[in-house]
Amino acid sequence: MRVFLRQAIHMKMATDNGCSLVVRADETAVRNGFFNWNNVIEVVNRSLPLSRRSDLSSYRFVIGSRAWVRTNLTDLARWSSWEYVLQGGTLEIDSFGPFQVLWLHLIIDPAGGEIIFGPKHSEAGLILIDITFGSSDRAAPFSLIFRGNETLTASYDSDTRITLVGLLAGCGAERDCAAWAVVRCDGDPYGLSRPENWQQGGEGTDTFPLFLKRYRTQTPENGVVIHLPTRTQQTGRPD
């Protein structure tokens, strides 16, 4: 694997079907293959000039078409300031990371992709993933997968115009205790602001309502899968 990764950094002219890991001064991009996080970081550290290695706060990591990147909270802790871009690939995050509470910024390219949150370990940390959609219509083929969960709650606050998916505080969802991650995005891309999800306030009042939707699965091992609706399915209230 290490030999392959050493060769991969030179594959800037890779074919469309070729597996590649390309390191540049401002970003690393992977596509068409499985990538272990420790191996990726090893290549990045070895490939960048010493002057650049000391300041990677503005660095970007692009998960391209058919790439699968696996990591965990402990490994991500040092690199949480990076900007991550999902561009048709898969980001799988394991919950192991005792005492780790991370914030991650993730841009969803129009090519979409998926995020997989592994089952909750006994020594699990917490992560908040702040999502920005690269396309104004927010209709990318994007999925969230929470493995080990029987149920999961998503909320939309019409006052702050913020959507949260995953581990939510104060909603009394005891069956959601297997969640250890929260995904946040602006607006209502999941179309949650429908009458059937209305939780407080009412028509004709000045109260800003909160909308909650519970997702369920028949197979907790595979987890709860939440797909981003197409634009025509996003029929909630305007953002």
Side-chain angles (χ1 to χ4, degrees), residues 35 82 106 222 229-230:
F35 298 88
W82 286 9
L106 180 66
N222 295 328
T230 64

Side-chain angles (χ1 to χ4, degrees), residues 134-157:
S135 176
S136 58
D137 64 4
R138 297 170 306 178
F142 172 61
S143 300
L144 295 169
I145 301 172
F146 291 77
R147 287 181 175 161
N149 284 77
E150 296 183 5
T151 64
L152 204 74
T153 301
S155 73
Y156 173 64
D157 187 322

Side-chain angles (χ1 to χ4, degrees), residues 34 36 43 62 74 136 172 193:
F34 173 81
N36 179 279
V43 174
V62 180
T74 298
S136 58
S193 53

Side-chain angles (χ1 to χ4, degrees), residues 3 9 34 49 110 116 118 122 150 193:
V3 173
I9 62 174
F34 173 81
I116 301 175
S122 58
E150 296 183 5
S193 53

Side-chain angles (χ1 to χ4, degrees), residues 14-32:
T15 64
D16 288 342
N17 295 321
C19 182
S20 65
L21 190 161
V22 180
V23 179
R24 300 186 180 91
D26 59 342
E27 74 171 30
T28 290
V30 296
R31 65 173 184 174
N32 294 330

